């Protein structure tokens, strides 16, 4: 498949080699392609720089029973179950 070598190289040099170092959190999800493209355009137009290595764009291809879904995830450091210091601290 074209681009497979590049994809594997990017995965090896990814944000986190150990899954315990962090997790991916979904920040935007839609089934409307126009809304998806508008959100990406607005994201690119922001004045602050976004680290592309910490973003993951997924297109979940659908069939008749499941429509196509577009998803944007952000890499969050720390384990997925960790609520963080500002949540429910005793």
């Amino acid at each position: 498949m074209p681009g497979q070598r590049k994809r594997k190289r990017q995965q090896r040099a990814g944000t986190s080699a150990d899954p315990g170092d962090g997790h991916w959190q979904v920040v935007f999800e839609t089934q409307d392609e126009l809304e998806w493209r508008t959100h990406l355009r607005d994201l690119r137009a922001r004045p602050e720089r976004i680290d592309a290595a910490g973003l993951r764009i997924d297109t979940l291809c659908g069939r008749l029973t499941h429509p196509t879904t577009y998803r944007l995830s952000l890499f969050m450091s720390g384990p997925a179950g960790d609520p963080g210091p500002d949540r429910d601290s005793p």
Side-chain angles (χ1 to χ4, degrees):
M1 289 176 55
Q4 188 172 5
R5 183 179 304 164
K6 179 181 177 182
R7 188 169 38 254
K8 286 182 181 180
R9 185 173 54 241
Q10 287 174 342
Q11 288 173 348
R12 280 193 303 267
T15 308
S16 173
D18 182 14
D21 290 344
H23 65 280
W24 292 97
Q25 180 177 353
V26 177
V27 293
F28 183 77
E29 184 172 338
T30 185
Q31 294 177 353
D32 182 17
E33 186 176 2
L34 181 61
E35 183 181 6
W36 171 248
R37 291 182 186 277
T38 303
H39 182 75
L40 288 179
R41 187 178 333 113
D42 294 344
L43 191 64
R44 289 182 184 121
R46 289 184 180 182
E48 65 271 5
R49 287 303 211 192
I50 297 170
D51 183 21
L55 290 177
R56 184 174 76 185
I57 297 173
D58 297 318
T59 303
L60 307 171
C61 297
R63 303 268 186 218
L64 294 174
T65 58
H66 300 289
T68 301
T69 303
Y70 306 94
R71 184 183 294 166
L72 178 68
S73 301
L74 180 65
F75 187 79
M76 308 296 284
S77 60
D82 184 17
D86 57 351
R87 287 196 193 156
D88 301 328
S89 301

